[in-house]
Amino acid sequence: MTGMGTNGAGSGPVSGRGASVTLSNLEKTYDRANAAKAVDGVSLDIRSGEFLTMLGPSGSGKTTTLMMIAGFETPTAGDIAIDGKSVVAMPPYRRNIGMVFQNYALFPHLTVEENVGFPLKQRGVPKAERAKLVAEALELVHLPGYGARYPRQLSGGQQQRVAVARAVVFRPRLLLMDEPLGALDKQLRENLQLEMRRLHADLGITFIYVTHDQEEALTMSDRIAVMNDGKVAQVGSPEDLYDRPDNRFVAGFIGESNFLPAVVRGMEDNIVIAECEGALIRALCPGRPASGEKVTLTTRPERLRFADGVWAGTPPQNRLSVTVTEAVFAGERCRYMLQAGDGTSIVLKEPSSATIRRRAVGERAEIAWSVADTILV
Amino acid sequence: MSEVVQPASLALAVSRPKTSPFDWRRAVPLLLAAPLLIYMLVFYALPVVAMLLRSVNDPTWTLSHYATLLDDVVFQKTFWITINTSVTVTLGCLILGYPVAMGLVRAKSMAPFILVVILLPFWTSVLVRSYAWMVLLGRHGLVNEALLALGMIDRPIRILNTPLATQIAMIHILLPYMILPIANALRQIDPSLIRAASGLGSTPFMTFRQVILPLSMSGVAAGTLLTFVLALGFYITPAMVGGPRDITLSMLIAQQVDQLNWAYAATLSAVLLATALAILAVARKLPGVGNAFRTSMR
Ligand SMILES: Nc1ncnc2c1ncn2[C@@H]1O[C@H](COP(=O)(O)OP(=O)(O)OP(=O)(O)O)[C@@H](O)[C@H]1O
Ligand SMILES: [Mg+2]
């Protein structure tokens, strides 16, 4: 790979094979008349070699952020540094970043080989070396022997692989992907998710991946930045986001959550005791809410159990009396809609088993769950 | 194929009264077009055919009119001038038109304004535009006055009634036929391709060379063909602003008609028509061009 990656963002304090990316207070307003910010003060530290996913609903500013990193949009305010060096003033073709577009953006007038060789040609790599690198890249994405075809002669999944090969053939230190699997069917998407992980492990470069599919984000990423309304709602590992959401948006956006209105009654170390529907519920809480404050507790449906069931070890501390309002058998699990006291509805998911008694609608029951699965948001 | 068609034709058969021998619904488009078709047949196709026939049956059935063209010096010089003018004008339109097409496609709020400027010649008669060029290019016209004022020349130069005048005026008149197909092709280029090229390390110039230009070739081919074929038949403009000795094929035809030399005029017309058709036929065979031509004609 001699003579490559020396221009653009390749210099500066370099560690490992992947670039580090720092976004500081990044802002973007598209038109001055409508002052709504597409990206509103995003700060993120993306580590060298990390697989970071930006996850968020439509219009939350994911693409805009990615386009600013790639250099296709200019930030209204804030800074982008790659390997510690600001790139805001650098045109895209000097940034040396690999990019996979949602529609793949393969050149229709070029063959697969010419498409993959395109970035090498721009860098003046001699023909013989180009052919070798292209063959390697096509092998990496499991498409050897397709070099002479045109993009329109490939299936969607194959086109996607060509786009990936083209984005990594020049060994960029950073790869950006905007919903690269969005146009594919579920089966193919799951296969390619695994391949992306493998590719990330093989190449060791930094991946910034955009998706609005939370399952995809949870299975693939080292860390996820949840975006909402142009802001980062939370950054963390998939486990962090699922088990310890910082706020109601994250709890509701990633997986399913129950929200219980409660009133703070006291604190024990970093556990808050709150009253909810006449019961005292304990929850993890990083801050120190005042006694009497109205708060919301959150917990996951699959972490709840009926209290009279079979327990391994001591039954958990949090308990609530409920009435079953709906019971749905969904194969691997049963899903119950429950009502606590005067109106709070709660979802409970129980693994289905022939030995577990199914509850009937209208039945009264007590549910139980552990303090560690309860978060104050 | 037949399996796919079957359900639809079955449905048609069911909804159609079985006794009806004729499907009126299919005849409707033809009936709607009939008045125009008849008009075209009577007032256009028949006269053209009658005219062309004169090249082979005047005074009796013969190919002698064509044979004489082979060593007719006037015809050969005229034919050469016509081709030469058309090539020059087409190249001029391409060089001037391509950047305009790019500007038109890139412009945002300015686009309607640019489009009006491009289409303005369309809305003015060729005669008026040719008169305008006579005024501009004349001995005391705007162009000469400007060059004098700038000190680039000492006395008025002769532009009017030269081949250059013909070329300038024809380029002006034919520019929209070049710009619009190219703009159409440029507009169809997915903007993400240009971003992709840039992201993959291509400077704006390299992106133009390797992505934009090849992907707009269909429009270039269509525009070139259209402009060239139209230029072949130009009459009014070269007659008005061109040189007295630089006679094009259509001028020669008009001259022969004036002299009631019908057979000769018909033969020349047939040659002009055949040239245009031959160019179209060859162009359609070139890979990609036929497709482009059909698209731009849609
Ligand atoms: N070129 C543009 N001009 C004006 N506004 C834009 C433009 N692109 C995006 N926006 C606006 O900026 C906001 C963020 O858009 P962005 O495309 O970044 O969202 P996203 O998170 O990628 O959404 P999606 O999941 O739908 O792709 C939206 O409100 C959008 O309408
Ligand atoms: Mg997007």
Side-chain angles (χ1 to χ4, degrees), chain B residues 166-179:
Chain B
T166 306
Q167 288 157 9
I168 291 174
M170 279 177 71
I171 287 172
H172 167 236
I173 290 164
L174 288 173
L175 256 178
Y177 297 96
M178 183 64 89
I179 294 173

PDB file of all heavy atoms in Angstrom, chain B residues 166-179:
ATOM      1  N   THR B 166     -22.661  33.126 -41.401  1.00  0.00           N
ATOM      2  CA  THR B 166     -23.591  31.990 -41.437  1.00  0.00           C
ATOM      3  C   THR B 166     -23.416  31.130 -40.194  1.00  0.00           C
ATOM      4  O   THR B 166     -24.379  30.743 -39.535  1.00  0.00           O
ATOM      5  CB  THR B 166     -23.321  31.127 -42.685  1.00  0.00           C
ATOM      6  OG1 THR B 166     -23.364  31.964 -43.826  1.00  0.00           O
ATOM      7  CG2 THR B 166     -24.343  30.018 -42.803  1.00  0.00           C
ATOM      8  N   GLN B 167     -22.156  30.826 -39.887  1.00  0.00           N
ATOM      9  CA  GLN B 167     -21.898  29.948 -38.745  1.00  0.00           C
ATOM     10  C   GLN B 167     -22.363  30.568 -37.440  1.00  0.00           C
ATOM     11  O   GLN B 167     -23.022  29.916 -36.620  1.00  0.00           O
ATOM     12  CB  GLN B 167     -20.402  29.608 -38.686  1.00  0.00           C
ATOM     13  CG  GLN B 167     -19.995  28.642 -39.799  1.00  0.00           C
ATOM     14  CD  GLN B 167     -18.525  28.726 -40.126  1.00  0.00           C
ATOM     15  OE1 GLN B 167     -17.751  29.379 -39.417  1.00  0.00           O
ATOM     16  NE2 GLN B 167     -18.126  28.087 -41.213  1.00  0.00           N
ATOM     17  N   ILE B 168     -22.055  31.865 -37.239  1.00  0.00           N
ATOM     18  CA  ILE B 168     -22.464  32.530 -35.998  1.00  0.00           C
ATOM     19  C   ILE B 168     -23.985  32.489 -35.863  1.00  0.00           C
ATOM     20  O   ILE B 168     -24.530  32.091 -34.833  1.00  0.00           O
ATOM     21  CB  ILE B 168     -21.964  34.002 -35.972  1.00  0.00           C
ATOM     22  CG1 ILE B 168     -20.439  34.039 -35.842  1.00  0.00           C
ATOM     23  CG2 ILE B 168     -22.616  34.762 -34.823  1.00  0.00           C
ATOM     24  CD1 ILE B 168     -19.851  35.440 -35.962  1.00  0.00           C
ATOM     25  N   ALA B 169     -24.685  32.865 -36.916  1.00  0.00           N
ATOM     26  CA  ALA B 169     -26.146  32.943 -36.835  1.00  0.00           C
ATOM     27  C   ALA B 169     -26.764  31.557 -36.660  1.00  0.00           C
ATOM     28  O   ALA B 169     -27.710  31.380 -35.891  1.00  0.00           O
ATOM     29  CB  ALA B 169     -26.696  33.623 -38.083  1.00  0.00           C
ATOM     30  N   MET B 170     -26.214  30.580 -37.361  1.00  0.00           N
ATOM     31  CA  MET B 170     -26.787  29.231 -37.250  1.00  0.00           C
ATOM     32  C   MET B 170     -26.534  28.629 -35.868  1.00  0.00           C
ATOM     33  O   MET B 170     -27.399  27.944 -35.304  1.00  0.00           O
ATOM     34  CB  MET B 170     -26.216  28.314 -38.344  1.00  0.00           C
ATOM     35  CG  MET B 170     -26.915  28.506 -39.687  1.00  0.00           C
ATOM     36  SD  MET B 170     -26.190  27.503 -40.981  1.00  0.00           S
ATOM     37  CE  MET B 170     -26.719  25.869 -40.500  1.00  0.00           C
ATOM     38  N   ILE B 171     -25.363  28.876 -35.322  1.00  0.00           N
ATOM     39  CA  ILE B 171     -25.074  28.377 -33.963  1.00  0.00           C
ATOM     40  C   ILE B 171     -26.098  28.955 -32.993  1.00  0.00           C
ATOM     41  O   ILE B 171     -26.665  28.256 -32.152  1.00  0.00           O
ATOM     42  CB  ILE B 171     -23.631  28.745 -33.544  1.00  0.00           C
ATOM     43  CG1 ILE B 171     -22.634  27.872 -34.298  1.00  0.00           C
ATOM     44  CG2 ILE B 171     -23.453  28.580 -32.037  1.00  0.00           C
ATOM     45  CD1 ILE B 171     -21.188  28.278 -34.103  1.00  0.00           C
ATOM     46  N   HIS B 172     -26.340  30.270 -33.136  1.00  0.00           N
ATOM     47  CA  HIS B 172     -27.308  30.915 -32.247  1.00  0.00           C
ATOM     48  C   HIS B 172     -28.679  30.268 -32.364  1.00  0.00           C
ATOM     49  O   HIS B 172     -29.332  29.962 -31.373  1.00  0.00           O
ATOM     50  CB  HIS B 172     -27.382  32.406 -32.600  1.00  0.00           C
ATOM     51  CG  HIS B 172     -28.537  33.107 -31.974  1.00  0.00           C
ATOM     52  ND1 HIS B 172     -29.461  33.808 -32.708  1.00  0.00           N
ATOM     53  CD2 HIS B 172     -28.931  33.196 -30.683  1.00  0.00           C
ATOM     54  CE1 HIS B 172     -30.371  34.298 -31.896  1.00  0.00           C
ATOM     55  NE2 HIS B 172     -30.078  33.956 -30.663  1.00  0.00           N
ATOM     56  N   ILE B 173     -29.087  30.021 -33.586  1.00  0.00           N
ATOM     57  CA  ILE B 173     -30.436  29.493 -33.806  1.00  0.00           C
ATOM     58  C   ILE B 173     -30.545  28.037 -33.350  1.00  0.00           C
ATOM     59  O   ILE B 173     -31.565  27.608 -32.821  1.00  0.00           O
ATOM     60  CB  ILE B 173     -30.817  29.651 -35.296  1.00  0.00           C
ATOM     61  CG1 ILE B 173     -31.021  31.143 -35.586  1.00  0.00           C
ATOM     62  CG2 ILE B 173     -32.077  28.853 -35.630  1.00  0.00           C
ATOM     63  CD1 ILE B 173     -31.022  31.485 -37.056  1.00  0.00           C
ATOM     64  N   LEU B 174     -29.469  27.266 -33.511  1.00  0.00           N
ATOM     65  CA  LEU B 174     -29.544  25.832 -33.225  1.00  0.00           C
ATOM     66  C   LEU B 174     -29.135  25.460 -31.800  1.00  0.00           C
ATOM     67  O   LEU B 174     -29.325  24.315 -31.377  1.00  0.00           O
ATOM     68  CB  LEU B 174     -28.675  25.060 -34.229  1.00  0.00           C
ATOM     69  CG  LEU B 174     -29.263  25.003 -35.643  1.00  0.00           C
ATOM     70  CD1 LEU B 174     -28.278  24.387 -36.614  1.00  0.00           C
ATOM     71  CD2 LEU B 174     -30.578  24.221 -35.643  1.00  0.00           C
ATOM     72  N   LEU B 175     -28.580  26.426 -31.037  1.00  0.00           N
ATOM     73  CA  LEU B 175     -28.099  26.114 -29.684  1.00  0.00           C
ATOM     74  C   LEU B 175     -29.117  25.367 -28.810  1.00  0.00           C
ATOM     75  O   LEU B 175     -28.761  24.390 -28.158  1.00  0.00           O
ATOM     76  CB  LEU B 175     -27.638  27.385 -28.977  1.00  0.00           C
ATOM     77  CG  LEU B 175     -26.122  27.586 -28.887  1.00  0.00           C
ATOM     78  CD1 LEU B 175     -25.815  28.912 -28.208  1.00  0.00           C
ATOM     79  CD2 LEU B 175     -25.447  26.454 -28.135  1.00  0.00           C
ATOM     80  N   PRO B 176     -30.386  25.797 -28.786  1.00  0.00           N
ATOM     81  CA  PRO B 176     -31.334  25.092 -27.892  1.00  0.00           C
ATOM     82  C   PRO B 176     -31.435  23.603 -28.195  1.00  0.00           C
ATOM     83  O   PRO B 176     -31.597  22.796 -27.282  1.00  0.00           O
ATOM     84  CB  PRO B 176     -32.677  25.777 -28.171  1.00  0.00           C
ATOM     85  CG  PRO B 176     -32.336  27.077 -28.800  1.00  0.00           C
ATOM     86  CD  PRO B 176     -31.020  26.920 -29.473  1.00  0.00           C
ATOM     87  N   TYR B 177     -31.282  23.233 -29.485  1.00  0.00           N
ATOM     88  CA  TYR B 177     -31.394  21.815 -29.846  1.00  0.00           C
ATOM     89  C   TYR B 177     -30.223  21.004 -29.305  1.00  0.00           C
ATOM     90  O   TYR B 177     -30.305  19.789 -29.186  1.00  0.00           O
ATOM     91  CB  TYR B 177     -31.476  21.656 -31.368  1.00  0.00           C
ATOM     92  CG  TYR B 177     -32.702  22.305 -31.956  1.00  0.00           C
ATOM     93  CD1 TYR B 177     -32.650  23.579 -32.486  1.00  0.00           C
ATOM     94  CD2 TYR B 177     -33.922  21.634 -31.934  1.00  0.00           C
ATOM     95  CE1 TYR B 177     -33.771  24.186 -33.008  1.00  0.00           C
ATOM     96  CE2 TYR B 177     -35.057  22.228 -32.461  1.00  0.00           C
ATOM     97  CZ  TYR B 177     -34.984  23.507 -32.988  1.00  0.00           C
ATOM     98  OH  TYR B 177     -36.102  24.098 -33.497  1.00  0.00           O
ATOM     99  N   MET B 178     -29.112  21.688 -29.028  1.00  0.00           N
ATOM    100  CA  MET B 178     -27.975  21.012 -28.427  1.00  0.00           C
ATOM    101  C   MET B 178     -28.100  21.024 -26.902  1.00  0.00           C
ATOM    102  O   MET B 178     -27.873  20.024 -26.232  1.00  0.00           O
ATOM    103  CB  MET B 178     -26.676  21.725 -28.853  1.00  0.00           C
ATOM    104  CG  MET B 178     -25.415  21.073 -28.342  1.00  0.00           C
ATOM    105  SD  MET B 178     -25.155  19.416 -29.011  1.00  0.00           S
ATOM    106  CE  MET B 178     -24.238  19.802 -30.499  1.00  0.00           C
ATOM    107  N   ILE B 179     -28.479  22.176 -26.355  1.00  0.00           N
ATOM    108  CA  ILE B 179     -28.485  22.343 -24.889  1.00  0.00           C
ATOM    109  C   ILE B 179     -29.522  21.437 -24.230  1.00  0.00           C
ATOM    110  O   ILE B 179     -29.219  20.749 -23.246  1.00  0.00           O
ATOM    111  CB  ILE B 179     -28.762  23.817 -24.514  1.00  0.00           C
ATOM    112  CG1 ILE B 179     -27.605  24.699 -24.983  1.00  0.00           C
ATOM    113  CG2 ILE B 179     -28.953  23.958 -23.010  1.00  0.00           C
ATOM    114  CD1 ILE B 179     -27.860  26.182 -24.801  1.00  0.00           C
TER     115      ILE B 179
END
